[in-house]
Amino acid sequence: MEIKKNGSQPSVKGPSDWFTGTVHIDPLFQANDPARAASNSVTFEPGARTAWHTHPLGQVLVVTSGCGRAQREGGPIEDIRPGDVVWFPPGEKHWHGATASTSMTHIAIQEQLDGKVVDWLEKVTDEQYGK
């Protein structure tokens, strides 16, 4: 058994190559062989969002606070709220983040494939975000 005590893992700022705006990432757990799942709690300040990206084995988001937005390529922007669970299938191009006026926190869970959990793509423009 392993217990990661709250506050024992430092928060990191979301890199500007992958995010627009201010984003804080709090690690929850990383995959221990043979498991492949890893998880972070991610907080987006108002207007902050990910770049477009895909996951080789998909991604689950569990919204824990605030109001956010998510979009898959070619689909509408969807509002997401606490308690909502979002599934992005493997390889589906998507983005997610806060609304323009409200922060949002979600737990992100994804699995590694050959050590990789995400492929980062171009940034979401203000026009795509709907500002």
Side-chain angles (χ1 to χ4, degrees):
M1 179 169 77
E2 179 183 356
I3 298 173
K4 298 213 186 252
K5 296 290 189 179
N6 188 11
S8 67
Q9 301 180 94
S11 296
V12 296
K13 186 175 179 185
S16 61
D17 287 351
W18 305 340
F19 298 94
T20 297
T22 302
V23 177
H24 303 280
I25 302 169
D26 292 293
L28 296 176
F29 62 87
Q30 299 305 314
N32 294 316
D33 285 336
R36 299 187 300 188
S39 181
N40 297 300
S41 177
V42 185
T43 300
F44 299 82
E45 291 190 8
R49 57 199 180 264
T50 68
W52 288 99
H53 60 287
T54 64
H55 299 275
L57 295 175
Q59 182 182 48
V60 173
L61 304 178
V62 181
V63 182
T64 59
S65 66
C67 295
R69 315 175 114 184
Q71 183 182 28
R72 63 183 175 152
E73 185 176 45
I77 296 172
E78 303 280 352
D79 292 332
I80 53 177
R81 301 190 184 308
D84 289 352
V85 178
V86 182
W87 163 246
F88 297 105
E92 183 170 75
K93 186 176 176 181
H94 67 281
W95 66 269
H96 37 95
T99 67
S101 61
T102 308
S103 63
M104 187 269 295
T105 300
H106 65 53
I107 293 173
I109 305 165
Q110 51 278 321
E111 292 183 277
Q112 297 180 37
L113 181 62
D114 299 323
K116 190 175 214 175
V117 296
V118 62
D119 287 305
W120 291 104
L121 305 167
E122 71 276 9
K123 286 197 171 188
V124 173
T125 65
D126 287 347
E127 182 180 15
Q128 290 170 321
Y129 176 71
K131 255 187 173 176

